Amino acid sequence: MDLMLGFLLAMSVTMALIPPLMQAAARWQFLDAPEARKVHTTPVPRVGGIAMAAGTLLALLLSGEFAQPMPAYLAGVLVLLLFGVWDDRVTLSAGPKLIGQVIAVLFIMVWGDVTIGTITLTERHELPVWVSWPLTFVFLIGVTNAINLADGLDGLAGGTTLLSLSALALLAFTSGTPFVGVVAIVIVGAILGFLRYNTHPARVFMGDGGSQILGFSAAVLAVVLTQDELTPLSSALPLLLLGIPIIDTLMVMSQRMLEGRSPLQADRNHIHHRLLGLGFDHHEAVMGIYFLQACLFVTAWYLRYESDVTIIAVFAGLSLLTIGSLQLAMAVKWRLRPVNPKGSDNSSNLGRLVMWLRAPTRLPRWSLVVIGLGVSLYLFAVSVVSPRPSTDVQIMAAVVALSMLGLMVMRWREADSGWMLRGAAFLALVMAVYFDRQTTTLLEERSALQVCLFAALVIAIVIRFRLASDRRFRVTPLDILVIFIAVAVPNLPGSVISAATVGESIAKLVVLMYGVETLFSAAAHWWRLPSLAAFGYLVACSLHSWY
């Protein structure tokens, strides 16, 4: 089955199943009730894992790939799904949950022959069986539980695992390990379908079944990828690929044991709990953890061929830095938003300055001006020196331009532009970025100017998202994930995607589209500026042979 078809099938099935499962959740008693250590305040259906598992299993079964370790992997997923659904229904103790995990891990190790059999120093060295098997068992069980324990905020476990699986897929296709690439891409599709309903405020949770399947899958794929005899990837690379859940688990369990408590006792000492305690809001905590995992993603790419000793040293250093920073912040009682005794956060000169800048007529409005001018300048620069389009493209540009002119005349006094004008503006952006790749524009002749332009656009977009009071378009942590994958992955040196020289174009298009969407979603007729800029660009394309 085509890889894109598998991705779309998993995503579509997941998205289609979640609404009916949510309706049945109360009747089947699949509800996550609020507790003291949880952040949600109303019961939430925890059926997302069932939908993700269904989408993943269907796509993989239709792939027709049944060579090992696929059958063993699918059997392990089914076992974890059954035990996870059971746990989500009646809340099992740690013993039965561990039994299910052990069965799944033994399936993949014994039947699928997936083990950590080598380490990489200056070259690969075989591990004896008495070391290999316990090491594999502990790693697979540990990561399965690490993702499960990290599932504490809306979109957190799904988003961090999506980043890990994206890294695994990229490494797999670069090094020629199709099993890992196919399974990772399919699960990424399922996660994206789930995150559609799990972004804060979440309407559905994945439950223990979903989080254990994600952890098990990421661990298995990491072992298969780094233990393949035909790939030179370092054996310790999974520490970075799955870094944040591992760091989080090691941190909370170490603290529990130092305090004389059971390492399995639940508490509020996870990274996300600490970030909330330091004054981060829900979105900021999730995106902060995404940022940390994204940094590990990039670090893993650059160190993928290094020795295990180097990777372990880097992982240990990053772990100490992360944990130490959190401990220090809590020890000195630092908070992102300091509050004075009267409950106001603007008692300092800096606080008053921030409040002054946040006024609707200042930074929020100034950011819209910067976005509008930046998009207009880019379209103008491309239109001046772009190559002559083909006749059919010129005709299409003329038709769209005339349609935009009529729509702008009809809606000029209205606050909302309508979806047709918005779609036409996006079409103009796609055409501009495409023709930008074909020639050297005025901006590219002055590379510093282009960097400044897009840096200003990004800063203005971020400011608008954070400060605007009239926005109808908001960036969610899911958007941040999509932006990171779309922008960072194609630009990694040596990536199979970067070889197609599309990385810079994708990055430009993502920034421009978010900028235009920001203008169209703002009040007070801001849609006029991108509409006029897009109209001008389309007119220039249609009349290219005349100038």
Side-chain angles (χ1 to χ4, degrees), residues 94 98 101 138 141-150 245-267 269-271 274 323:
L98 183 60
Q101 294 170 7
V138 170
I141 291 288
V143 174
T144 300
N145 283 285
I147 301 294
N148 179 237
L149 293 173
I246 294 176
I247 292 172
D248 183 55
T249 301
L250 292 175
M251 179 182 71
V252 295
M253 289 193 170
S254 299
Q255 180 167 346
R256 291 167 187 171
M257 289 188 289
L258 288 174
E259 294 174 354
R261 297 185 289 124
S262 167
L264 301 179
Q265 180 181 346
D267 55 29
N269 287 320
H270 291 277
I271 292 177
R274 297 191 180 203
I323 297 172

Side-chain angles (χ1 to χ4, degrees), residues 72-73 75-77 79-80 97-115 133-145 212 215-217 219-220:
Y73 166 73
V77 169
V79 170
L80 290 175
K97 292 168 64 173
L98 183 60
I99 291 174
Q101 294 170 7
V102 169
I103 295 173
V105 167
L106 290 179
F107 269 141
I108 199 67
M109 289 178 62
V110 178
W111 186 14
D113 194 25
V114 173
T115 57
W133 278 64
L135 179 62
T136 307
F137 182 85
V138 170
F139 177 78
L140 294 178
I141 291 288
V143 174
T144 300
N145 283 285
Q212 290 184 66
F216 174 76
S217 300
V220 169

Side-chain angles (χ1 to χ4, degrees), residues 95-441:
K97 292 168 64 173
L98 183 60
I99 291 174
Q101 294 170 7
V102 169
I103 295 173
V105 167
L106 290 179
F107 269 141
I108 199 67
M109 289 178 62
V110 178
W111 186 14
D113 194 25
V114 173
T115 57
I116 302 174
T118 63
I119 59 172
T120 307
L121 300 175
T122 54
E123 58 184 29
R124 284 200 179 232
H125 297 276
E126 294 285 337
L127 291 174
V129 174
W130 61 271
V131 173
S132 170
W133 278 64
L135 179 62
T136 307
F137 182 85
V138 170
F139 177 78
L140 294 178
I141 291 288
V143 174
T144 300
N145 283 285
I147 301 294
N148 179 237
L149 293 173
D151 187 21
L153 294 180
D154 299 344
L156 183 56
T160 52
T161 309
L162 185 146
L163 284 169
S164 298
L165 292 172
S166 298
L168 288 166
L170 179 63
L171 288 166
F173 290 123
T174 302
S175 59
T177 313
F179 165 77
V180 175
V182 169
V183 175
I185 289 296
V186 166
I187 301 176
V188 165
I191 293 175
L192 285 174
F194 165 72
L195 288 177
R196 169 69 177 78
Y197 300 92
N198 186 242
T199 300
H200 183 71
R203 288 176 284 168
V204 67
F205 292 161
M206 68 173 66
D208 274 13
S211 59
Q212 290 184 66
I213 289 173
L214 291 185
F216 174 76
S217 300
V220 169
L221 295 180
V223 172
V224 173
L225 176 66
T226 55
Q227 294 299 311
D228 191 325
E229 296 179 356
L230 301 178
T231 64
L233 299 174
S234 300
S235 302
L237 204 58
L239 290 176
L240 295 175
L241 297 174
L242 307 169
I244 292 302
I246 294 176
I247 292 172
D248 183 55
T249 301
L250 292 175
M251 179 182 71
V252 295
M253 289 193 170
S254 299
Q255 180 167 346
R256 291 167 187 171
M257 289 188 289
L258 288 174
E259 294 174 354
R261 297 185 289 124
S262 167
L264 301 179
Q265 180 181 346
D267 55 29
R268 293 181 59 89
N269 287 320
H270 291 277
I271 292 177
H272 56 272
H273 289 131
R274 297 191 180 203
L275 290 177
L276 293 175
L278 292 172
F280 289 77
D281 65 25
H282 195 293
H283 282 293
E284 291 166 345
V286 172
M287 288 191 284
I289 294 173
Y290 284 175
F291 173 76
L292 293 175
Q293 185 60 51
C295 291
L296 293 173
F297 180 138
V298 177
T299 303
W301 178 262
Y302 282 101
L303 299 181
R304 62 193 185 278
Y305 301 131
E306 298 296 329
S307 71
D308 288 351
V309 174
T310 300
I311 292 177
I312 292 172
V314 170
F315 174 75
L318 293 173
S319 300
L320 291 175
L321 179 62
T322 302
I323 297 172
S325 299
L326 289 172
Q327 292 288 94
L328 178 62
M330 296 183 70
V332 301
K333 298 182 179 179
W334 176 88
R335 285 182 60 85
L336 180 65
R337 296 179 178 84
V339 179
N340 66 18
K342 296 182 180 180
S344 173
D345 62 352
N346 63 342
S347 57
S348 66
N349 291 331
L350 178 61
R352 286 191 291 271
L353 174 62
V354 170
M355 293 302 295
W356 183 83
L357 290 173
R358 289 175 66 101
T361 57
R362 297 188 181 96
L363 269 183
R365 182 178 293 274
W366 299 342
S367 63
L368 290 176
V369 174
V370 172
I371 295 170
L373 293 177
V375 171
S376 301
L377 177 59
Y378 177 80
L379 291 175
F380 172 76
V382 175
S383 67
V384 170
V385 294
S386 63
R388 182 182 184 277
S390 60
T391 303
D392 55 340
V393 172
Q394 285 186 294
I395 294 174
M396 180 188 71
V399 171
V400 176
L402 288 173
S403 301
M404 288 191 72
L405 180 60
L407 289 169
M408 284 191 292
V409 170
M410 289 188 295
R411 307 188 68 92
W412 192 256
R413 295 183 181 276
E414 297 185 23
D416 187 11
S417 64
W419 64 270
M420 294 183 68
L421 272 174
R422 190 175 308 206
F426 285 152
L427 176 61
L429 290 179
V430 172
M431 291 175 59
V433 172
Y434 174 77
F435 286 118
D436 188 12
R437 293 183 61 202
Q438 311 302 312
T439 188
T440 301
T441 67

Side-chain angles (χ1 to χ4, degrees), residues 436-458:
D436 188 12
R437 293 183 61 202
Q438 311 302 312
T439 188
T440 301
T441 67
L442 296 178
L443 290 173
E444 289 175 337
E445 291 176 353
R446 301 289 186 270
S447 57
L449 179 59
Q450 180 167 229
V451 171
C452 291
L453 172 65
F454 279 91
L457 276 173
V458 171

